[in-house]
């Protein structure tokens, strides 16, 4: 079909955003370098912008982009001095691949293994946590450098440098473009899951800025988790993470009011919880294992099953946090368990556990410690102490919406749960 230059650009941008990860993954298998692979994918994008206004948008635009990028990758390999060695790595069949044309566009569904390799490469432990997160959002989330910078409230040049350094580090370290096996697979998978979890958490409860939530980041993480679950159906903890994110995402619409103000779990309109996501979470939980993400998913399921806040099975949640402590000991997990215990056994029991955490170095600047303590003190009628804790929590958070909520609580010191589940 004939299209204008303007409409072509919009079409190319839309197709490329959807297909960029798959194209980059398919090309990376040939060139064994994710940085070069992304450049070749961008070259295919430029080729589409040049050719489609004249030839029309192909019937299978994603396959056209894939074929173009792959043939450019093959040409690059052939031009290298190490051509013979590289050709042996990618297979002799590349010799017989004709130039891309409408009669041979390839099948974009043939590269699921390549996509999995790209996920493991982008999340390689040789990279810092920040670099893994930025590179994953860039290569697999299809986000631009500007979009990543805005999502994490960082400068665009800083994010660009982070991505460039990550690609360089992977190349210099000779990180193989593969899905690891054996003992290394479990360690590497844990790095992949951590990145997806961190991206979702930053969207669910923004560390800083004017918004409590950034739903677009949650959507990116959820999409990556679904892709990973489809690619690795036999990994229980992958399904555990997916279940957790589905359950958590189901509550996003109810977590803020009309003006973007936080709405605490006890006050949320549960009719606004997304039942489809809850059902998807329950399905994923059936395939989950007994690891940390799976236990967190079971906790989220307890909240999802409660029709009213008063119906929440806090004893079960406290027990699950106890299990989580055995699997992944952490002062933050202990703090969450203290909240559950306070709801199951009373604020005195919770306060004892919270006070025992006061000396933990990890929690020293963590705003939720004084926030939880303020809630427990308010429930015990110790309003003066509660106000002081809410003010301290407000001084520690970098999120403007949370700060407003905590200062409001300090002003009126109401009793009731301060934690937003």
């Amino acid at each position: 079909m004939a299209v204008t230059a303007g409409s072509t650009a919009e079409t190319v941008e839309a197709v490329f955003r959807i297909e960029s990860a798959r194209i980059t993954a398919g090309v990376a298998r040939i060139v064994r370098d994710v940085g070069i692979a992304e450049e070749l994918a961008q070259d295919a994008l430029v080729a589409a912008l040049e050719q489609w206004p004249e030839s029309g948008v192909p019937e299978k635009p994603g396959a056209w982009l894939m074929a173009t990028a792959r043939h450019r990758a093959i040409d690059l390999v052939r031009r290298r001095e190490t051509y013979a060695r590289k050709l042996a790595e990618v297979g002799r069949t590349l010799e017989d691949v004709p130039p891309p044309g409408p009669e041979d566009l390839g099948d974009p569904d043939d590269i699921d293994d390549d996509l999995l390799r790209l996920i493991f490469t982008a999340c390689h432990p040789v990279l810092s946590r920040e670099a893994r997160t930025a590179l994953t959002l860039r290569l697999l989330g299809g986000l631009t450098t500007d979009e990543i910078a805005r999502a994490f409230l960082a400068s665009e040049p800083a994010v660009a440098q982070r991505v460039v350094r990550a690609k360089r580090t992977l190349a210099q370290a000779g990180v193989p473009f593969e899905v690891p096996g054996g003992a290394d697979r479990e360690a590497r998978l844990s790095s992949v899951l951590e990145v997806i979890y961190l991206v979702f958490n930053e969207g669910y409860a923004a560390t800083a800025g004017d918004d409590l939530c950034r739903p677009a980041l949650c959507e990116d993480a959820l999409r990556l988790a679904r892709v990973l679950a489809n690619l690795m159906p036999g990994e229980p903890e992958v399904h555990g993470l997916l279940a957790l994110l589905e359950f958590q995402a189901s509550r996003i619409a109810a977590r803020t009011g009309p003006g973007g103000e936080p709405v605490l779990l006890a006050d949320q309109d549960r009719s606004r919880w997304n039942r489809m996501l809850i059902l998807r979470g329950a399905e994923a939980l059936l395939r989950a294992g007994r690891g940390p993400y799976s236990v967190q998913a079971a906790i989220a399921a307890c909240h999802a099953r409660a029709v009213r806040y008063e119906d929440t099975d806090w004893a079960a949640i406290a027990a699950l946090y106890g299990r989580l402590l055995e699997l992944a000991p952490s002062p933050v997990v202990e703090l969450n368990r203290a909240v559950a215990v306070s709801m199951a056994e009373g604020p005195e029991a919770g306060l004892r556990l919270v006070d025992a955490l006061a000396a933990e170095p990890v929690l020293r600047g963590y705003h939720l410690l004084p926030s939880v303590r303020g809630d427990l003190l308010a429930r015990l009628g110790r309003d003066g102490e509660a106000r002081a804790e809410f003010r301290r929590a407000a001084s520690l958070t970098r999120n403007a919406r949370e700060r407003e909520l905590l200062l409001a609580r300090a002003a009126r010191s109401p009793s009731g749960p301060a934690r937003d589940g």
Side-chain angles (χ1 to χ4, degrees):
M1 61 179 176
V3 290
T4 65
S7 64
T8 296
E10 293 174 359
T11 300
V12 173
E13 182 180 352
V15 172
F16 191 74
R17 182 177 282 269
I18 295 169
E19 300 289 346
S20 61
R22 295 163 66 82
I23 296 168
T24 302
V27 174
R29 177 169 56 85
I30 299 171
V31 298
R32 304 286 169 170
D33 185 307
V34 295
I36 294 174
E38 188 187 18
E39 291 174 7
L40 291 170
Q42 293 285 342
D43 287 346
L45 173 67
V46 173
L49 289 170
E50 292 173 346
Q51 297 179 34
W52 290 5
E54 297 294 331
S55 62
V57 177
E59 183 179 349
K60 297 180 179 179
W64 190 99
L65 289 168
M66 172 67 77
T68 301
R70 287 186 57 180
H71 282 282
R72 293 191 179 211
I74 293 166
D75 288 343
L76 177 64
V77 171
R78 285 173 172 161
R79 289 197 303 268
R80 289 177 177 172
E81 292 180 357
T82 55
Y83 163 74
R85 177 173 60 82
K86 288 292 183 181
L87 186 60
E89 290 178 4
V90 301
R92 296 290 176 181
T93 56
L94 295 180
E95 292 276 17
D96 302 323
V97 179
E103 72 285 350
D104 178 30
L105 297 177
D107 185 353
D109 293 329
D110 288 342
I111 62 160
D112 280 357
D113 287 345
D114 291 334
L115 193 56
L116 190 57
R117 292 185 186 101
L118 183 61
I119 291 173
F120 273 93
T121 303
C123 297
H124 197 284
V126 73
L127 302 175
S128 69
R129 177 183 291 178
E130 293 78 9
R132 276 179 272 158
T133 301
L135 191 60
T136 298
L137 287 174
R138 173 73 177 174
L139 298 181
L140 292 151
L143 273 66
T144 64
T145 303
D146 175 60
E147 287 171 331
I148 298 170
R150 282 190 280 112
F152 286 90
L153 302 182
S155 71
E156 189 173 349
V159 170
Q161 289 178 1
R162 192 176 299 166
V163 171
V164 168
R165 282 197 299 267
K167 295 175 186 174
R168 186 184 303 129
T169 299
L170 291 175
Q172 292 175 345
V175 172
F177 187 68
E178 65 180 13
V179 177
D184 190 35
R185 182 189 180 103
E186 184 176 348
R188 293 274 298 280
L189 178 59
S190 135
S191 174
V192 171
L193 297 180
E194 180 191 35
V195 167
I196 296 175
Y197 180 68
L198 287 172
V199 171
F200 184 90
N201 269 2
E202 184 58 32
Y204 189 76
T207 304
D210 297 328
D211 299 314
L212 180 71
C213 304
R214 299 192 185 105
L217 271 183
C218 293
E219 290 169 9
D220 285 323
L222 190 51
R223 181 168 56 81
L224 288 173
R226 288 171 180 164
V227 168
L228 193 60
N230 286 330
L231 296 176
M232 307 185 76
E235 291 288 347
E237 196 63 351
V238 171
H239 295 288
L241 176 64
L242 177 59
L244 172 61
L245 301 195
E246 299 278 13
F247 283 130
Q248 296 291 76
S250 73
R251 304 203 294 265
I252 289 177
R255 295 189 70 237
T256 53
E261 68 278 7
V263 179
L264 300 179
L265 182 61
D267 302 322
Q268 287 176 15
D269 177 359
R270 299 192 174 209
S271 68
R272 298 186 66 200
W273 288 8
N274 188 314
R275 308 313 299 181
M276 180 59 71
L277 294 182
I278 290 174
L279 287 174
R280 294 184 70 149
E283 290 172 1
L285 189 58
L286 292 175
R287 305 178 69 181
R290 299 184 177 183
Y293 294 114
S294 298
V295 174
Q296 290 180 74
I299 293 170
C302 288
H303 289 295
R305 282 193 291 263
V307 177
R308 302 174 306 157
Y309 181 77
E310 295 77 14
D311 299 329
T312 307
D313 189 345
W314 289 107
I317 292 174
L320 285 167
Y321 271 120
R323 190 187 307 172
L324 185 58
L325 273 173
E326 296 173 1
L327 295 171
S330 156
V332 174
V333 175
E334 290 186 41
L335 181 61
N336 285 323
R337 177 175 172 269
V339 173
V341 168
S342 77
M343 299 304 296
E345 303 176 17
E348 299 93 343
L351 187 60
R352 284 195 295 271
L353 295 174
V354 170
D355 285 345
L357 297 171
E360 286 286 349
V362 175
L363 299 180
R364 198 158 290 160
Y366 189 51
H367 71 283
L368 290 180
L369 178 62
S371 173
V372 169
R373 192 167 190 276
D375 169 64
L376 297 175
L377 290 167
R379 289 165 59 191
L380 289 168
R382 295 159 62 176
D383 291 346
E385 295 171 84
R387 279 193 291 272
E389 292 293 342
F390 288 137
R391 290 194 190 100
R392 187 160 75 91
S395 72
L396 293 174
T397 184
R398 291 188 291 143
N399 185 281
R401 293 295 188 176
E402 281 192 315
R403 186 179 304 111
E404 291 170 4
L405 173 66
L406 290 164
L407 290 175
R409 295 210 69 192
R412 64 180 185 270
S413 188
S415 60
R419 287 278 290 145
D420 183 345

